[in-house]
Structure formats: structure tokens, C-alpha cells
Amino acid sequence: MDIVGFIVKLFLSPQVFAPIVFPGLLTALVVLLIIIWAERKIAARIQMRVGPLYVTRHLGGVLQMLADGTRYMFQEFIVPETADRIPFIVAPILALTLAILPFAFIPSAPGFSPISSPLTLPAVLAVISAIPISVLLMGWASNNKFSIQGAVREAFMSLGYEVPLFISAISMSILYGTMSLEEMVTKQFIPGLILNPIAAFTFLVSMIMSAGKLPFDIVEGEQEIVAGPYVEYTGIIFGIGMGLAYLKLYALSLIYTIIFLSGWEPLPKLLYDIYPGIAGIFLFVKAFLLMLFIVFLRSVYGRYRLDQALKIGWRVYFVLSIVSLILSLGLRVILNV
Amino acid sequence: MLSMSSEFVSSRLLFKEGDESTYELFIGPQHPASGHMRFIVRLKGDIIVSVDPDIGYVHRTMEKLAEGREAIKAIPLLERLTIIDSHNVTVALVTALERLLDAEPPPRALYLRTLLSEINRIASHLYGMGIAGIMLNHSTMFMWAFGDREVWIQLAEELTGARLTHTYSIPGGVRRDLPQGFKEKFEKAARYMEKRLQDYMKIFLLNPQIASRYEGVGILKKSEARRLSIVGPNLRASGVKYDARLADDYGAYKELEFEVPVREEGDCMARMLVRVEEIKQSLSIIRQVLEKMPSGPIFAEKYLKLLPPKTREQVLKTGHVKLPGIFASLKLPAGEAVARAEMGHGEIFYHIVSDGSTKPYRLRVVTPSFRNVVLFRYLPPGHRFMDFPAIYGSLDYFPPEADR
């Protein structure tokens, strides 16, 4: 009986439950299925279409993505003869691992952090910023002209968005006086979005760039380079490449909610008393709504050109992030929070 | 792989230009945005050095096929050149045949031809705008334009009985009279279209993101446009006021008032805006046509009297023309005839040579896309690689039409 008790205790500990179940991996996979479906349904509604429908018709085709994923599973995985075999196979696995890793740092309720550290914010951003390296490796190992173009675009873009992303996040941590994601929520007497709107906006745009959503889906650039770094991939690995952007978006949305939208507040006391692991329901809802907004942009915008996106990153949002940094310093002096 | 000592490798396609510092990309024929053709794009960094459009993937020997069959059968055949604009593509052929046969269509038939031509033009422009939208990954523009094109296809179906392959104009007239209640249906469609054009402007052309992709990109100068003999909206966007509707006498355009939209900028944005303006002009032309439509026969007296009396009565009563038996072996008088018409993509030109037999000795067709394809060589160099789809979309190029 002791062993069962130990397993249950282990499973319910924040170190396992948060990254694996909620809001981590399993929730992320469900979100992945629903958000892609929602994106297609929103776009379909705007574009006078029906959208996915025929899989589970009475549920509006919500399981379409599961059906697609199953199809990917049974598709042959081809390694091209000209590809660099080992990096070609390792790179997507590395990318997926790095995309899941941020959930090890994201707390879902007060006192329910998987890793209790004063430095969870830089850690989670560091992990997310390592994903482009594996995408770069995918593109290079594929040894295809389009995929190399895509890899180069990924490299350019990651430089373009990561600097404003980091600086706007750091400016908030200066404002709150902490680099721990959990403490950041407790420090927000009003949401960070109102305290420093410039940082919030800069982070949002950098986030969209990072996740490669429209109008910044430059890396995949279907009309120019087919699928960018993923062009040689088939089967489930191609599916992973597709899901990668959404996993990244989900992790970044959670971080955005924690930094700017006062995280899990208001905390449902009842749920917290039952089990703290499921008390982060508002964190999840806010993050999901944010994701819905970002995928909605697909129906409004086309794609920016690479040099335009870089110009936006460096000349507009880099400057704005510096302004937000100064604003945070000023607020810190005045408010003395 | 291509490390051969000589500069030229056996095939033209593997011809190497310059040194290793250019990056060669083969866009198409199996590429999401190439259409039925291939572009060999050479890049230096992110800048396009040269583009080699490689056409001919959908060559269907249209001219030769037309020479092997009776003249009247060329109409449904050549419709397939540009299935999205199938009346405009054949109206010039019919005009040329009429000039050769010396058959004068009655005025009502001319008005009906103009009506269908303009419906086709709107549908064709919507198609082009939709493709231009998806080239920038703007899926909403793509879906909206393709969805709204359906309205005009259905109007054309109402008039002719077929959604795309109308085969409406025949030497001497048209095949069907105006159906009842067409005017009301058109008014409904026109009101819808005017509302939708504003929506298109809001979401697409006035959208700052799209404007930044289009403005100042792919500029075609007036002199260059003339020198390369570009046609259609691409020419008019560069400030040259040339329209085959005014240049040649076909349809009822002589009796109608319309403007030829011209813009001076010559960039991608100007080309798109000219199309939007042309849709508006087409709506006004159709309104005038429906107002001024004269009553009378829709088929030339010359051919009508060849029909047996009973059939002739039926034709006059129902407004559905039955082709006289002579049409199957209509002898073209020896001689030549030319005609041109303005399609959605630009001017189409027909030259028919006959030696007096039932089949044309030579049927030459110069399509607008074939004349515009040269722009792929001239416009993209110097631009960023990502401008290539923007330029392609704005040119409204249709490979099957160019390849014939």
C-alpha cells in the first residue's frame, strides 16, 4: 500500500503534475488539437466556409486534427538519401523536447511550481530561445534548397524577435522586483498590462513572431519556400513540425498571462482547497483566449516580407522594449512596489 | 553535381549563369505558388538576380486542333484556353469569323454579347484578386473573391445555361435570349458586389500590412510597358490608356459610356486597384446594357431563314437558337480576318486564314498572358525573394492561356 501511496503522492506533486498533466504536456496536446480546430473554424466563419466538419460531425469536426495526426502516424517516414541522416532525425526530436521543456518552469497555482527557483523567467525564456537552433539544424540537415532558405529565415527572425521579447520580459521583472514567475503573480496588485502597456504590446508582437503566426509566418513561407525547414519531413515528424509552433505559442501564452494578466488570479478558493494543481484554471482560460486572438489574426493579415519583419523587430519593437524598460524603472522609483 | 568543365550543360535548364555566389531555386512546376509552369529564380543573398519563366507545361496544341476541325467547332475548343473567362476569349474569334463570313449579328445579339463579356470580366478579375491574395497568404481575400465569383458564374449560367463553358456567341448572333427577371437578379448581384468591393478594400488593399507589400513593388514604367507590348490592366496600371474594347469594334461598346481606369504608379498596388475599378466599370456597363437593350432577333436573318419554318418559329418564341444544319459544314470564304477583344487579362488577338474549305487554313491566337509573361523576366530582378509571389499575384498571369 505504501508503494501505491508513494506513486499517487509522486503523481500529485507539483514536480510531476504541473509539467506532465496541467498545464503541461497532456493539456498542451489537447490545446494543440482544439486550437488548430478553432483556428480553422474561426477562419472558415470569416471566409464564408464551413471548415473541418466531417470527422465527428455532431461536434463540429473537433476531432479532425486527431484524425490528421493518426494519418501522419501511419505515413512512411522518409529520410532523403542526400540528407544528413543523424541530425535529420535528431533535430525534430530535440525541437519537440525543447518545446515541451518550458512547462517544467511554469507554475499553475501559488506554491505549485515544478521548479522553485528565483530565476524561472530567464530559464523559461532561455529554453524557448533554444528551439530555433534545432529548427536551423532541421533545415540544414535536410540538404534541400528551400529548407536551407527556411533555416536562414529562422535564424534572421529569431534574432529579430528575441531581443525585444527578452527586454520587455526583463522590464517587467524590474518592475516587480523579481525574476520568479510565481512571485510575479503575487506582486501584481493590478495586471501588468495596465502597469506597463508598452512592454505588454512588445511582448505580444514578439510572441507572435516567435510562434511564426501570421503576419509573421515567414519561416514556413508556403508561397515562396513551400514549408521552409520542414519541407523534407514526412509522416509524424512533419506533424511535429506543425505542432511545434502551437506548443511554443501555448508556452508563451502561459508566460504572457503570468507576467501581464495577473496569472491565476482570481484564485478559485474551492478548487485550491481540493487540490492546488487544478486551481490554475483561470491561468489556462486567459492563455487560451489569448491564443484564440492570435490565431484569429490569420484571417486579417497576409505575410510580411522578411526584411520588413526584421525592420519591425529591430527598429520599432527593440526601441519600444527599451522605452518599456525605462518606464518600468520610472514606475519602480515612483511606486516603490 | 553540375561540376562540368564547360559553362553549358547539355540542357538549357541547367545553364549556369555567373558564379557560385548565386543561389538557384526552381519554383515549380510542383510548387504551391508556381501555377502550371516553372520559374528558375537566381538569388544573390535575398535579392533576385534573374528569373527565367519556363512556360509550356500545359501546351495543348489549341491552334493546331482548331485547324483540324470545322470553323464552328473552334468556339467550344478555344473556350478552354481561359476557362475562367470563356466568353471574352471566344468573342473575338466569333467576330473574326463573322468578318470572314460577312454575317452581321443583330443589335440585340451584340448587347447580349457585351453583357456576358462584362459578367465574365468581373468573374475573371475576382479570380485574379483571389490568387493575388493567397500569394501573400491572405486566405480571407482568396476565399472571399472565390466565393463571390460564384455570384457571377450563376448569373452567367442563368443567361447561357452553363457555368463556365458558355459557347454563347456563334457567327451571326448568340444562342439564347435574355431570361425573364434577369435585370432584378443582376441588380441584387451588383448591390452585393459594390458592398463587397468596399470589404475587399478594407481587408486587403487598404490593410497597411498588404499595402506595405504592394506599394512601390514591381514597378513597370510607362516606356517599358510600351516597349514590351504589355496588355490589359497591367498596361493601364502603368499609365497607358489602351483598351481593345475601344480599339476594335465588337459588341455594343460603341454605344455605351464607360471609363477606362488608368493609374500612373505602375506598381503592384496600381495593378490591383485598376482591377477593382474595372469591376465597378463593368457593373455600370451591364446596367447600361440592360437599360438600352434593343428588342429584336438575336440571330442573323441570313442564317435564321435557313432553318425549317417550324424550328424558326420555335426559335423566335423560346429565344433558344437551334443551329442550322449548314453550320456543321460552313464553308469559310477564302481570305483573312483579324479581330481582337479585351479579356480580363488583356487583349486577345485572332488571325484566321481561310483557303475556302470548311476548316480554317490557319488559326492564330495571341493571348494576353502570353504577352505578359515577359514581365516575369523584367519585374522581379532587384527585388527581395519574398516579393516574387506579390508580383506574380499582381500580374494575374494564367499559364494555360499563355501556353495555348
Side-chain angles (χ1 to χ4, degrees):
Chain A
M1 284 311 279
D2 245 356
I3 296 165
V4 175
F6 175 73
I7 289 171
V8 169
K9 199 168 165 246
L10 186 72
F11 179 73
L12 291 180
S13 71
Q15 285 77 18
V16 176
F17 190 81
I20 303 290
V21 183
F22 181 82
L25 189 60
L26 289 178
T27 316
L29 291 177
V30 175
V31 165
L32 201 75
L33 295 178
I34 293 174
I35 202 75
I36 297 174
W37 171 78
E39 174 175 7
R40 292 175 61 181
K41 275 290 187 191
I42 293 169
R45 174 57 64 86
I46 293 168
Q47 295 163 1
M48 314 187 295
R49 294 185 287 125
V50 182
L53 183 66
Y54 290 95
V55 180
T56 58
R57 201 174 179 133
H58 50 282
L59 292 175
V62 70
L63 290 185
Q64 177 67 45
M65 291 322 295
L66 197 66
D68 288 352
T70 316
R71 191 186 67 85
Y72 283 142
M73 284 282 196
F74 291 103
Q75 210 171 24
E76 188 187 357
F77 176 57
I78 301 165
V79 182
E81 235 169 54
T82 50
D84 204 344
R85 202 179 167 82
I86 292 166
F88 185 81
I89 296 165
V90 169
I93 298 167
L94 181 68
L96 189 65
T97 315
L98 286 171
I100 294 166
L101 213 55
F103 300 119
F105 299 96
I106 296 171
S108 66
F112 204 78
S113 315
I115 292 172
S116 310
S117 154
L119 295 171
T120 41
L121 176 68
V124 73
L125 289 179
V127 171
I128 288 173
S129 68
I131 298 173
I133 297 169
S134 55
V135 175
L136 215 69
L137 193 63
M138 280 162 94
W140 185 254
S142 299
N143 194 15
N144 175 303
K145 283 186 172 180
F146 291 116
S147 68
I148 289 170
Q149 277 272 325
V152 172
R153 285 185 184 187
E154 175 81 39
F156 272 120
M157 283 301 288
S158 64
L159 288 175
Y161 63 73
E162 244 148 46
V163 176
L165 186 83
F166 268 66
I167 294 178
S168 54
I170 296 293
S171 79
M172 290 316 280
S173 69
I174 287 171
L175 181 60
Y176 301 140
T178 173
M179 280 202 170
S180 154
L181 288 172
E182 195 186 333
E183 276 178 46
M184 278 183 155
V185 179
T186 54
K187 287 279 169 77
Q188 284 178 63
F189 52 94
I190 47 172
L193 183 76
I194 299 163
L195 281 175
N196 193 342
I198 301 172
F201 186 59
T202 313
F203 195 93
L204 181 70
V205 175
S206 311
M207 196 170 116
I208 297 169
M209 279 194 188
S210 173
K213 292 276 137 238
L214 276 163
F216 299 108
D217 68 331
I218 291 161
V219 175
E220 286 188 27
E222 196 198 348
Q223 280 74 12
E224 302 104 32
I225 51 171
V226 193
Y230 317 112
V231 72
E232 288 285 8
Y233 284 93
T234 47
I236 191 64
I237 306 283
F238 179 75
I240 288 172
M242 248 176 70
L244 203 62
Y246 288 93
L247 276 177
K248 219 171 159 183
L249 181 65
Y250 177 53
L252 281 165
S253 298
L254 285 173
I255 296 165
Y256 189 90
T257 312
I258 286 171
I259 302 179
F260 295 104
L261 302 174
S262 59
W264 47 76
E265 300 290 347
L267 193 69
K269 205 77 195 138
L270 193 71
L271 282 179
Y272 190 75
D273 288 340
I274 297 168
Y275 177 59
I278 51 173
I281 191 83
F282 280 108
L283 171 73
F284 176 75
V285 169
K286 285 176 199 171
F288 192 76
L289 289 177
L290 185 66
M291 285 174 83
L292 283 181
F293 170 70
I294 289 169
V295 297
F296 158 74
L297 293 179
R298 177 185 140 176
S299 316
V300 182
Y301 291 116
R303 184 188 296 129
Y304 270 115
R305 217 162 52 208
L306 177 62
D307 62 313
Q308 284 172 338
L310 292 178
K311 205 182 269 175
I312 289 166
W314 284 109
R315 294 214 186 140
V316 180
Y317 289 102
F318 177 60
V319 177
L320 274 181
S321 64
I322 299 286
V323 172
S324 77
L325 194 68
I326 295 164
L327 182 70
S328 281
L329 285 170
L331 279 173
R332 179 111 179 108
V333 172
I334 297 162
L335 294 174
N336 199 17
V337 273
Chain B
M1 274 181 288
L2 302 176
S3 59
M4 296 189 80
S5 53
S6 92
E7 276 277 298
F8 292 90
V9 187
S10 55
S11 160
R12 176 176 78 85
L13 301 173
L14 300 179
F15 163 65
K16 285 182 99 181
E17 238 178 42
D19 51 87
E20 291 289 321
S21 64
T22 57
Y23 191 84
E24 207 174 36
L25 275 176
F26 282 36
I27 310 284
Q30 285 152 354
H31 186 282
S34 70
H36 299 140
M37 67 182 303
R38 162 155 73 178
F39 301 96
I40 301 163
V41 180
R42 294 188 187 81
L43 300 169
K44 206 158 210 164
D46 197 27
I47 308 289
I48 297 172
V49 179
S50 74
V51 176
D52 195 359
D54 183 13
I55 61 172
Y57 281 84
V58 275
H59 176 51
R60 291 169 290 173
T61 65
M62 282 291 190
E63 290 176 0
K64 197 69 200 166
L65 283 174
E67 285 161 23
R69 58 187 68 192
E70 286 74 23
I72 189 103
K73 292 180 187 164
I75 301 168
L77 172 73
L78 288 159
E79 249 176 13
R80 268 85 179 161
L81 279 180
T82 317
I83 198 90
I84 55 167
D85 201 3
S86 62
H87 185 250
N88 278 322
V89 82
T90 49
V91 71
L93 171 70
V94 174
T95 313
L97 285 175
E98 278 168 356
R99 280 171 192 169
L100 206 56
L101 291 162
D102 200 22
E104 184 70 29
R108 188 176 173 84
L110 290 178
Y111 271 83
L112 285 168
R113 279 182 193 174
T114 309
L115 173 65
L116 186 59
S117 278
E118 295 307 315
I119 289 173
N120 262 203
R121 190 182 320 283
I122 295 171
S124 167
H125 281 337
L126 286 176
Y127 184 96
M129 284 167 72
I131 295 290
I134 200 64
M135 288 277 186
L136 297 183
N137 210 5
H138 197 291
S139 48
T140 303
M141 183 67 219
F142 174 61
M143 293 292 174
W144 279 7
F146 269 64
D148 294 340
R149 181 171 160 259
E150 191 63 28
V151 172
W152 299 100
I153 291 175
Q154 278 173 7
L155 266 186
E157 189 188 7
E158 184 83 11
L159 180 63
T160 67
R163 284 165 55 83
L164 291 169
T165 49
H166 315 302
T167 322
Y168 191 56
S169 292
I170 45 172
V174 293
R175 278 180 49 223
R176 279 185 181 214
D177 207 346
L178 197 68
Q180 287 203 334
F182 187 84
K183 199 172 176 182
E184 288 72 45
K185 274 180 188 149
F186 164 73
E187 270 309 319
K188 207 175 148 204
R191 275 199 304 276
Y192 176 71
M193 198 66 230
E194 275 158 3
K195 201 177 86 218
R196 291 299 280 171
L197 281 178
Q198 287 173 2
D199 290 348
Y200 293 173
M201 292 300 283
K202 268 185 224 155
I203 199 135
F204 193 65
L205 292 171
L206 295 179
N207 185 340
Q209 191 273 321
I210 298 297
S212 72
R213 290 295 307 273
Y214 271 159
E215 272 167 5
V217 171
I219 295 175
L220 177 64
K221 284 192 217 126
K222 199 171 180 173
S223 55
E224 280 288 287
R226 281 208 173 117
R227 189 174 69 84
L228 300 171
S229 65
I230 303 308
V231 290
N234 299 337
L235 175 73
R236 293 192 280 276
S238 295
V240 183
K241 196 169 180 172
Y242 176 80
D243 193 317
R245 285 178 286 184
L246 299 175
D248 200 345
D249 182 23
Y250 78 100
Y253 292 108
K254 280 267 154 68
E255 295 152 40
L256 302 169
E257 280 175 30
F258 63 98
E259 275 175 41
V260 178
V262 174
R263 291 189 87 85
E264 294 297 324
E265 298 91 340
D267 58 357
C268 291
M269 190 57 136
R271 288 193 276 273
M272 297 306 289
L273 287 172
V274 163
R275 293 207 173 87
V276 173
E277 285 302 313
E278 281 191 11
I279 292 178
K280 287 180 188 163
Q281 287 302 322
S282 290
L283 291 176
S284 122
I285 291 175
I286 298 175
R287 276 209 183 95
Q288 291 177 48
V289 163
L290 290 175
E291 249 167 48
K292 294 184 182 172
M293 178 92 66
S295 53
I298 55 165
F299 199 43
E301 194 61 33
K302 182 181 168 187
Y303 294 125
L304 205 56
K305 68 184 177 204
L306 295 177
L307 289 170
K310 224 173 185 183
T311 322
R312 198 184 321 157
E313 253 172 49
Q314 197 193 342
V315 165
L316 290 174
K317 211 173 81 193
T318 57
H320 290 200
V321 169
K322 292 262 190 317
L323 296 184
I326 190 181
F327 263 40
S329 57
L330 198 62
K331 273 215 163 65
L332 294 173
E336 293 181 37
V338 295
R340 51 192 162 173
E342 184 74 16
M343 290 175 61
H345 301 143
E347 180 198 80
I348 187 164
F349 176 86
Y350 280 94
H351 182 192
I352 301 174
V353 182
S354 170
D355 57 357
S357 75
T358 56
K359 295 164 187 171
Y361 174 75
R362 178 81 173 94
L363 195 150
R364 171 79 177 132
V365 45
V366 184
T367 53
S369 285
F370 184 68
R371 289 171 73 172
N372 287 339
V373 71
V374 68
L375 286 176
F376 285 114
R377 241 190 126 74
Y378 282 89
L379 289 185
H383 284 95
R384 303 257 166 196
F385 178 44
M386 283 187 82
D387 281 330
F388 181 68
I391 293 171
Y392 187 174
S394 77
L395 292 180
D396 197 4
Y397 176 73
F398 197 67
E401 180 185 296
D403 290 351
R404 297 184 306 265

